[in-house]
C-alpha cells in the first residue's frame, strides 16, 4: 500500500513539475509579444525616456492611426493578402494532387521523387535568390513577360518554395486514410476520381486546413525574396513595408511596435482558431506509413 501511495505521489509531483516547466516556457515565448503590444500603446517620448514599466497608465491608441497613415499600411496589407492567398490556393492544390499520388500509387521512381521533394527543403533559400532574379530578368528580355514587381512573380516563387513541404503534409494525411473507403466507393459505382472527391477530400479536410495555414503563415512572414523581387509599393508586402519604415523612421518606436502588432496579432489569432486542424494535419500518418 505504501509503495502504491509513494508511486502515486511521485507521479502527481512529476505532473505538477512538468506543468510548471511548460507554463514557464510558454511565459518566455509569450512575453515578447506582450511587450510588443504594450510598447505600442506608449508615446514615443515615454519609450525613449524608458518610462514603460509593466503597466500602461493611459493607452495611446492614436499610435495605430498614425502608423496607418505613415506606413501606407493598407496597400502593403492588401498586397500581402493577395500574394499569400493565391500562393495558398495554388500550393495547396498541387500538394493535394501530388500527396495523393505518392500515398496511393507506386510508379517507377516514386520513392526517388518523394525523397527529391523533401530534399529540396534542406537547401537554404538564399541560394536560390540570385538564380531566380537572373531567370526573371531573362524571361523579361526573351519573352517580354515581366516577373519582377508583379504579383505572379512572387506567387510563383512562393508556390515553388512551399509546395514540397505541403506535399509531405498531405501525403502523411492520405496514408492515414484507409484504402477500404475508396474501394467501397468504387464498388458502389464511383470512379477513382469520384471516390477521391466525394470520400477522400472530405476526410482530408483537416490536413488541407493545416496545409493552408502553414503556407499562408510562412508566406506572410517572408522578407528576403519580397525585398529583392519587389521594388514598388504596388506589389510590396507587409514585411517589406515595415522594413522600409524602419529605415525612414528609425526613431519612431511607437509606430514600429504598432505596425508589428497589427501584423502579428491577427496571425496568432488565426493560428489558435485553426490549431486543432493544424496539429491534426501535421501529425497525421505519424504512426501509419
Amino acid at each position: 500500500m505504501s509503495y502504491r501511495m509513494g508511486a502515486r505521489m511521485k507521479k502527481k509531483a512529476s505532473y505538477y513539475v512538468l506543468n510548471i516547466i511548460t507554463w514557464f516556457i510558454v511565459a518566455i515565448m509569450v512575453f515578447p509579444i506582450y511587450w510588443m503590444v504594450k510598447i505600442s500603446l506608449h508615446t514615443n517620448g515615454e519609450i525613449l525616456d524608458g518610462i514603460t514599466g509593466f503597466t500602461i497608465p493611459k493607452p495611446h491608441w492614436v499610435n495605430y492611426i498614425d502608423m496607418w497613415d505613415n506606413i501606407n499600411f493598407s496597400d502593403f496589407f492588401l498586397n500581402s493578402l493577395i500574394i499569400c492567398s493565391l500562393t495558398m490556393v495554388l500550393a495547396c492544390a498541387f500538394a493535394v494532387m501530388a500527396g495523393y499520388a505518392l500515398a496511393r500509387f507506386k510508379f517507377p521512381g516514386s520513392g526517388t521523387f518523394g525523397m527529391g521533394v523533401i530534399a529540396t527543403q534542406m537547401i537554404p533559400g538564399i541560394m536560390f535568390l540570385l538564380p531566380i532574379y537572373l531567370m526573371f530578368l531573362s524571361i523579361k528580355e526573351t519573352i517580354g513577360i515581366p516577373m519582377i514587381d508583379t504579383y505572379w512573380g512572387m506567387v510563383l516563387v512562393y508556390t515553388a518554395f512551399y509546395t514540397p513541404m505541403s506535399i509531405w503534409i498531405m501525403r502523411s494525411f492520405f496514408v492515414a486514410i484507409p484504402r477500404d473507403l475508396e474501394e467501397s466507393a468504387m464498388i458502389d459505382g464511383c470512379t477513382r476520381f469520384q471516390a477521391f472527391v466525394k470520400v477522400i477530400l472530405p476526410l482530408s479536410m483537416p490536413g488541407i486546413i493545416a496545409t493552408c495555414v502553414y503556407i499562408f503563415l510562412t508566406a506572410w512572414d517572408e522578407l528576403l525574396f519580397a525585398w529583392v523581387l519587389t521594388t514598388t509599393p504596388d506589389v510590396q508586402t507587409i514585411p517589406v513595408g515595415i522594413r522600409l519604415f524602419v529605415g525612414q523612421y528609425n526613431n519612431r518606436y511607437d509606430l514600429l511596435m504598432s505596425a508589428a502588432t497589427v501584423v502579428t496579432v491577427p496571425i496568432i489569432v488565426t493560428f489558435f482558431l485553426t490549431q486543432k486542424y493544424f496539429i491534426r494535419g501535421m501529425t497525421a500518418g505519424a504512426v501509419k506509413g
Side-chain angles (χ1 to χ4, degrees), residues 83 125 128-139 146-161 222-237 240:
I83 292 173
F128 297 105
L129 183 59
L130 183 58
I132 288 176
Y133 184 81
L134 295 176
M135 181 182 68
F136 280 4
L137 290 179
S138 178
I139 292 175
M147 300 297 291
I148 298 175
D149 286 332
T150 62
Y151 285 139
W152 285 110
M154 293 304 304
V155 169
L156 179 63
V157 171
Y158 286 169
T159 301
F161 282 168
E222 203 283 326
L223 173 62
L224 179 62
F225 284 84
W227 178 259
V228 175
L229 299 178
T230 59
T231 58
T232 62
D234 294 336
V235 187
Q236 289 171 333
T237 57
V240 177

Side-chain angles (χ1 to χ4, degrees), residues 176-205:
I177 298 176
R179 293 175 180 265
D180 296 343
L181 297 176
E182 287 176 274
E183 294 173 355
S184 298
M186 294 172 68
I187 291 174
D188 290 338
C190 290
T191 63
R192 179 172 288 276
F193 180 75
Q194 290 174 331
F196 172 72
V197 173
K198 295 180 180 180
V199 178
I200 301 302
L201 280 185
L203 291 175
S204 63
M205 194 55 63

Side-chain angles (χ1 to χ4, degrees), residues 73 76 80 84 158 218-224 226-227 236-246 263:
F73 198 79
F76 294 120
S80 285
C84 295
Y158 286 169
T218 310
W220 186 271
D221 291 334
E222 203 283 326
L223 173 62
L224 179 62
W227 178 259
Q236 289 171 333
T237 57
I238 285 177
V240 177
I242 294 179
R243 180 65 185 86
L244 292 172
F245 177 78
V246 172
V263 173

Side-chain angles (χ1 to χ4, degrees), residues 95-153:
V96 168
M97 292 184 287
Y100 179 77
L102 288 175
R104 288 292 189 261
F105 303 110
K106 295 298 181 182
F107 51 88
S110 60
T112 303
F113 174 76
M115 293 303 298
V117 167
I118 199 63
T120 60
Q121 302 302 291
M122 302 178 186
I123 305 175
I126 195 172
M127 294 184 64
F128 297 105
L129 183 59
L130 183 58
I132 288 176
Y133 184 81
L134 295 176
M135 181 182 68
F136 280 4
L137 290 179
S138 178
I139 292 175
K140 170 68 175 179
E141 293 174 358
T142 57
I143 306 178
I145 300 177
M147 300 297 291
I148 298 175
D149 286 332
T150 62
Y151 285 139
W152 285 110

Side-chain angles (χ1 to χ4, degrees), residues 12-35:
K12 194 173 183 179
S14 300
Y15 172 79
Y16 284 118
V17 169
L18 288 176
N19 270 342
I20 292 172
I21 294 174
T22 300
W23 281 110
F24 179 72
I25 295 174
V26 170
I28 293 176
M29 301 296 292
V30 172
F31 181 77
I33 300 174
Y34 157 77
W35 195 254

